[in-house]
Amino acid sequence: FYHMDLYGSKERFDIFPEEPSGQGDRSLGDTRRESALSSEKFQCSQEAGYDLEKEVAELAKMYGLDEDREKELELLGGHREMVESRRPPARTEKAGSQGSVYNASKSISPVKDQSQSAKQQGLHGKASHDEDQSKGRAEDEAESHTWSREGVSSGGVSDEWSSQAVSEEEEEAADVFCSTCKIPIRAFDKLFGEHKDHEVAQLPSAVESEKEEIHKNMCKLEEQIAQMENFASHLEEIFITVEENFGRQEQNFEVHYNDAVQVLAQKYEEQLEALGEEKRQKLEALYGQLVSCGEHLDTCKELTDATQELYLENDKATFMKIFFFYNYRLEEFLKKEVDLELSTPPEFEDRVIDFSEVEELMNSINTIPAPCAPVINSQAPNAATGTSLRVCWGLFSDDTVEWYQLCYKPVSNERCSDDQADHTLKVKETYCTITNLLPNTQYEFWVSALNASGISPPSERAVYVTAPSPPIIKTKKIRSCENAALVSWESRDINPVDSYMVELSKLTDEENGDIITESIVGIPNCEVLIHLQPTQSYRICVRALNLGGSSERSEPVLIHTTGTYFCLNEDTAHPLLAILDDGFTIACDQLENPECDLPIYDNSFTRCIGILGSLIPFPGKHYWEVDVEEDTEYRIGVAFENTPRHGYLGANNSSWCMRHIITPSRHKYEFLHSGMTPDIRITVPPRRIGILLDYENCRLSFFNADIAQHLYAFNSHFQHYVHPCFALETPGILRIHTGIATPPWTAL
């Protein structure tokens, strides 16, 4: 085995290169130059620390041949022994041969000197081993030059050696797969043979890849088998359908022809024979297609069995040899298009008997009579949503019906196009779900049945109605207290609904705390007063109901019964009064002209820069607080709905309020009703004022909430429910706090 560049040209792998004619006798100088070049290459390989075994190992690892590396080395060693065993005896007769031997012996000497030099330098710690290896390689190289020339002279001894080497190589087992040539090869052929530049893969991986390809084709084949089996089953059903249609046709012919049997006897036989011939042609065509289908199915199964046997082949080389034949056959079979269309339709063509004697009679005869009018059902419960309706009907006869025509339109008071449908649908079944409808809207439906002979009269008309749209709860107008809540909503439908239903869910920490605990039904208006339990949280939804059913739930709202909740009525606010984003803070920037030219609503305050809160319609006690500023003058309290909008709060008998006035000497507080106030001095100006409204005890109390101090109480019989009221007399803000539990110190 000679040192060489494994990626060099093919000529460098020829151990005994053939020389062209006319160049058999080379000069002594050429031989010496070749010997010197060989020695220089060998010296470079020694200086670079060349390791033959390492290079072979790397190549084997690159191509996944680690397990066969020892076999490779043995094979390479066998070639060296073969070279030595097949060398002929030395010849000295020819000068050219002697010159070659001389040149080869000369080329050994510098190699030995170079090996001795490497030994002295201690290259790789293997001096003695490298010397022997270098000596052997140099001698083999020199002798190869001699044998090459003598081989040319002796008439083809190298050819004999090559043929024997090739035969010995063929005896080696294939262990890789050449993807270019599509055949199994030896690893040595990839390294030194004609497959050097080809793409190869490990034989097991190649087998797995090809098996995967076979598996894919088998899956396709199985799908085709399933299609063919289904088609065969369909053909059997078509056989039955043809028989049934034939029987129906024959019966109709007999029924219609019995009235004129004497005149039509001969024609009847002709028509029946023609019908039978058509039947025979149809059955023959279907039978031929069924036979073809069976043959195709048998071929599929045969290929499946053969492919499975190939797939289970354990011998990899045998598998790859016969794979391409079966795979080519399988692929060619799969390329063939399978005709899955019926060769003949199961329906018979309508035959019209036409001759001069009974032309008028026969033109009035139909093989299948037109169907009777269907009967449409009235609307069933829960058959409607906000945008869809399920309509059902029936046919109380044995008439043949191919499909139904469903017509509908919205119910309108206009009678200009009463018989014209806005929409028409073609339906196979005796029911249909119509979508994309308007909520809470009445629609008129009617249906007709059709077959080949014509259309039936329309059914009676039925009116269906869609379910309403989900209501919209007015979250800003919800009022609640510790034991009740007043919820209002609005409908999104143009048409009125029948009633509403409110669903309550008590929220707890348990996983199933969001279940419906109570439902209030039969609510006629868009507002309801709900009695609740104190210190609880509820989720409330509203549904609208009509004859069509119930709407979806509205968006839920949360209600907490920890205190009194109310909101501010924006339509009562003075134009100079602003309500901030939180909805519970009012502010005023300037008071130079309270009677300004800004737009004023009919229910707005015009002189007092004030606003009313929503009505508190619940009996019992109600408590809320207001944050105030010491440098702001204000009025806070309660008032009736009809309190004058052009007056001041507390200046009439329909309002009660606490007023703060800043004088040069002190903060003055007044508790006004009908313009009168008691003489009360408050030493600690309150920053947060608590207001307690007690309907049952006819009492309105004011507190300094910061220090739990009672300020004053009105004792008055409230004939009506009242509104909280607030007003600013100087620039400033008021912050209102609702939903606060009544403090225990208010009862002292």
Side-chain angles (χ1 to χ4, degrees):
F1 184 74
Y2 297 94
H3 168 69
M4 61 189 71
D5 184 4
L6 294 178
Y7 298 94
S9 60
K10 182 177 179 182
E11 289 76 16
R12 300 192 61 182
F13 296 103
D14 295 335
I15 301 177
F16 307 107
E18 297 181 0
E19 298 198 21
S21 61
Q23 297 181 2
D25 298 328
R26 292 182 296 178
S27 65
L28 181 62
D30 294 339
T31 306
R32 290 178 178 177
R33 282 195 298 271
E34 291 178 1
S35 177
L37 289 173
S38 175
S39 300
E40 290 177 1
K41 292 181 181 179
F42 180 76
Q43 182 179 1
C44 294
S45 66
Q46 286 293 98
E47 293 176 356
Y50 174 77
D51 192 341
L52 175 61
E53 294 183 0
K54 181 178 180 181
E55 185 169 353
V56 173
E58 291 178 354
L59 289 172
K61 183 177 181 181
M62 180 183 302
Y63 295 102
L65 306 174
D66 291 339
E67 58 184 8
D68 299 331
R69 186 175 61 179
E70 296 181 0
K71 185 186 295 184
E72 297 290 338
L73 294 176
E74 293 176 0
L75 181 62
L76 296 178
H79 278 281
R80 179 182 296 178
E81 295 176 358
M82 187 185 305
V83 171
E84 294 178 355
S85 63
R86 296 189 180 276
R87 287 193 186 121
R91 302 188 182 189
T92 58
E93 289 83 3
K94 293 185 179 181
S97 300
Q98 293 175 357
S100 299
V101 173
Y102 173 78
N103 291 338
S105 63
K106 290 292 184 178
S107 65
I108 297 175
S109 178
V111 171
K112 291 183 178 180
D113 295 339
Q114 294 164 3
S115 175
Q116 184 66 25
S117 176
K119 179 179 180 182
Q120 293 174 357
Q121 297 175 5
L123 183 62
H124 298 293
K126 299 180 179 180
S128 60
H129 176 73
D130 293 343
E131 181 180 1
D132 296 338
Q133 188 176 7
S134 301
K135 183 185 297 184
R137 290 178 182 174
E139 290 176 355
D140 291 342
E141 184 177 356
E143 291 177 1
S144 68
H145 286 290
T146 304
W147 175 241
S148 176
R149 291 186 174 274
E150 292 179 356
V152 174
S153 302
S154 60
V157 178
S158 61
D159 295 339
E160 180 184 357
W161 179 89
S162 299
S163 61
Q164 294 179 359
V166 170
S167 62
E168 184 174 343
E169 291 175 359
E170 291 177 352
E171 295 177 358
E172 297 289 336
D175 46 10
V176 294
F177 180 74
C178 179
S179 302
T180 304
C181 300
K182 303 295 184 182
I183 58 173
I185 63 172
R186 301 174 305 136
F188 186 81
D189 295 336
K190 169 59 183 175
L191 298 177
F192 306 104
E194 61 180 356
H195 303 281
K196 173 184 175 182
D197 298 329
H198 294 179
E199 182 180 355
V200 299
Q202 298 183 32
L203 189 58
S205 62
V207 170
E208 292 298 327
S209 177
E210 299 302 339
K211 283 187 176 182
E212 184 178 354
E213 184 68 22
I214 291 178
H215 179 70
K216 292 180 181 178
N217 290 332
M218 288 179 64
C219 292
K220 294 180 181 178
L221 193 61
E222 290 175 357
E223 292 179 0
Q224 196 170 106
I225 290 173
Q227 291 180 358
M228 296 303 300
E229 289 177 348
N230 293 335
F231 185 64
S233 176
H234 181 58
L235 287 176
E236 294 176 357
E237 294 178 356
I238 295 301
F239 268 93
I240 299 175
T241 304
V242 169
E243 293 288 351
E244 292 177 351
N245 291 343
F246 171 76
R248 187 178 295 108
Q249 290 273 30
E250 183 182 20
Q251 181 180 3
N252 282 286
F253 273 123
E254 291 177 357
V255 170
H256 290 85
Y257 284 4
N258 283 337
D259 296 337
V261 63
Q262 294 179 355
V263 179
L264 303 177
Q266 183 179 358
K267 197 67 177 178
Y268 169 74
E269 294 295 334
E270 295 175 357
Q271 291 293 330
L272 189 60
E273 182 179 357
L275 191 63
E277 179 65 18
E278 184 178 356
K279 171 193 171 183
R280 184 186 62 79
Q281 293 176 358
K282 288 181 179 292
L283 294 181
E284 287 179 355
L286 292 173
Y287 179 78
Q289 193 171 11
L290 184 60
V291 171
S292 176
C293 178
E295 293 175 354
H296 191 89
L297 196 60
D298 293 339
T299 306
C300 290
K301 292 182 179 179
E302 178 187 355
L303 288 176
T304 301
D305 296 337
T307 307
Q308 287 179 348
E309 293 178 0
L310 176 61
Y311 187 82
L312 298 176
E313 178 63 43
N314 294 326
D315 189 354
K316 299 177 180 178
T318 304
F319 172 85
M320 297 306 299
K321 288 179 180 179
I322 63 177
F323 159 74
F324 294 98
F325 170 76
Y326 283 103
N327 190 47
Y328 174 78
R329 182 183 176 188
L330 179 60
E331 290 178 351
E332 290 297 319
F333 180 78
L334 293 176
K335 289 179 182 179
K336 296 180 180 180
E337 296 184 357
V338 180
D339 185 14
L340 300 180
E341 299 293 334
L342 292 175
S343 59
T344 180
E347 294 80 12
F348 286 77
E349 62 183 35
D350 295 337
R351 300 181 179 276
V352 179
I353 302 175
D354 184 18
F355 48 93
S356 58
E357 296 181 7
V358 288
E359 181 177 0
E360 183 178 356
L361 175 63
M362 299 309 299
N363 288 336
S364 63
I365 297 178
N366 294 313
T367 56
I368 300 177
C372 300
V375 177
I376 194 167
N377 302 340
S378 58
Q379 185 171 357
N382 301 322
T385 66
T387 58
S388 66
L389 285 170
R390 181 181 175 88
V391 182
C392 302
W393 59 89
L395 187 68
F396 299 96
S397 65
D398 296 332
D399 297 337
T400 301
V401 177
E402 296 182 2
W403 50 279
Y404 296 93
Q405 178 177 286
L406 179 64
C407 305
Y408 68 95
K409 66 175 183 178
V411 174
S412 175
N413 295 328
E414 300 178 0
R415 298 293 182 180
C416 56
S417 58
D418 188 41
D419 295 333
Q420 185 176 359
D422 292 347
H423 304 278
T424 302
L425 299 177
K426 183 178 180 180
V427 185
K428 284 285 188 181
E429 296 80 11
T430 57
Y431 60 89
C432 180
T433 300
I434 300 94
T435 58
N436 299 324
L437 303 178
L438 297 176
N440 196 33
T441 304
Q442 291 182 337
Y443 288 87
E444 193 174 30
F445 291 89
W446 63 96
V447 64
S448 300
L450 294 91
N451 60 15
S453 299
I455 184 172
S456 73
S459 66
E460 296 291 332
R461 303 199 176 194
V463 176
Y464 282 57
V465 59
T466 54
S469 300
I472 301 175
I473 298 178
K474 301 177 181 178
T475 56
K476 292 185 177 181
K477 293 188 177 182
I478 293 178
R479 288 154 283 175
S480 64
C481 63
E482 294 183 352
N483 52 19
L486 183 65
V487 182
S488 59
W489 57 87
E490 61 183 1
S491 174
R492 293 191 296 180
D493 299 322
I494 300 177
N495 300 324
V497 300
D498 295 342
S499 63
Y500 296 94
M501 177 175 61
V502 175
E503 297 177 345
L504 285 77
S505 304
K506 184 185 293 186
L507 302 181
T508 63
D509 295 334
E510 301 177 1
E511 295 182 357
N512 58 349
D514 193 17
I515 60 175
I516 303 300
T517 57
E518 183 179 355
S519 296
I520 305 173
V521 299
I523 304 172
N525 302 320
C526 294
E527 187 176 71
V528 64
L529 179 63
I530 309 171
H531 295 282
L532 305 173
Q533 297 177 0
T535 64
Q536 299 292 333
S537 296
Y538 294 88
R539 178 179 283 114
I540 295 180
C541 301
V542 182
R543 295 178 184 264
L545 294 90
N546 63 6
L547 293 176
S550 171
S551 71
E552 299 294 329
R553 289 182 182 178
S554 66
E555 290 295 327
V557 295
L558 293 178
I559 293 180
H560 306 282
T561 57
T562 55
T564 300
Y565 287 87
F566 60 84
C567 56
L568 300 177
N569 292 341
E570 297 182 10
D571 56 348
T572 64
H574 189 278
L576 295 177
L577 195 66
I579 302 175
L580 302 188
D581 294 338
D582 61 359
F584 291 95
T585 302
I586 60 175
C588 182
D589 294 334
Q590 53 92 17
L591 300 174
E592 296 179 358
N593 184 17
E595 298 182 0
C596 59
D597 296 332
L598 294 175
I600 298 177
Y601 298 102
D602 295 339
N603 200 28
S604 301
F605 286 95
T606 58
R607 179 175 297 179
C608 175
I609 305 178
I611 187 174
L612 295 180
S614 56
L615 187 69
I616 302 178
F618 315 113
K621 295 181 180 181
H622 306 280
Y623 179 82
W624 64 95
E625 295 178 351
V626 182
D627 288 340
V628 299
E629 298 176 347
E630 291 186 10
D631 57 350
T632 301
E633 295 183 357
Y634 53 82
R635 297 177 188 236
I636 57 176
V638 298
F640 288 137
E641 172 67 32
N642 60 355
T643 188
R645 302 296 193 265
H646 57 277
Y648 291 95
L649 296 175
N652 48 59
N653 60 358
S654 60
S655 59
W656 298 258
C657 71
M658 173 184 173
R659 182 187 183 191
H660 174 229
I661 305 172
I662 301 175
T663 64
S665 58
R666 65 185 177 90
H667 291 273
K668 184 179 180 181
Y669 293 91
E670 297 178 347
F671 296 90
L672 298 171
H673 176 63
S674 299
M676 300 180 64
T677 178
D679 186 11
I680 296 177
R681 291 179 178 270
I682 298 176
T683 57
V684 180
R687 300 295 299 272
R688 174 173 283 204
I689 301 173
I691 304 171
L692 178 62
L693 173 63
D694 190 349
Y695 280 123
E696 295 179 356
N697 296 321
C698 304
R699 187 179 179 89
L700 177 65
S701 303
F702 295 86
F703 300 89
N704 186 341
D706 291 333
I707 60 176
Q709 179 187 14
H710 179 264
L711 301 178
Y712 182 76
F714 290 101
N715 293 304
S716 177
H717 179 67
F718 300 106
Q719 298 178 352
H720 308 286
Y721 291 120
V722 297
H723 296 257
C725 59
F726 313 90
L728 288 169
E729 296 185 343
T730 59
I733 62 174
L734 296 177
R735 291 185 178 88
I736 304 156
H737 301 275
T738 63
I740 302 173
T742 304
W745 42 262
T746 59
L748 299 178

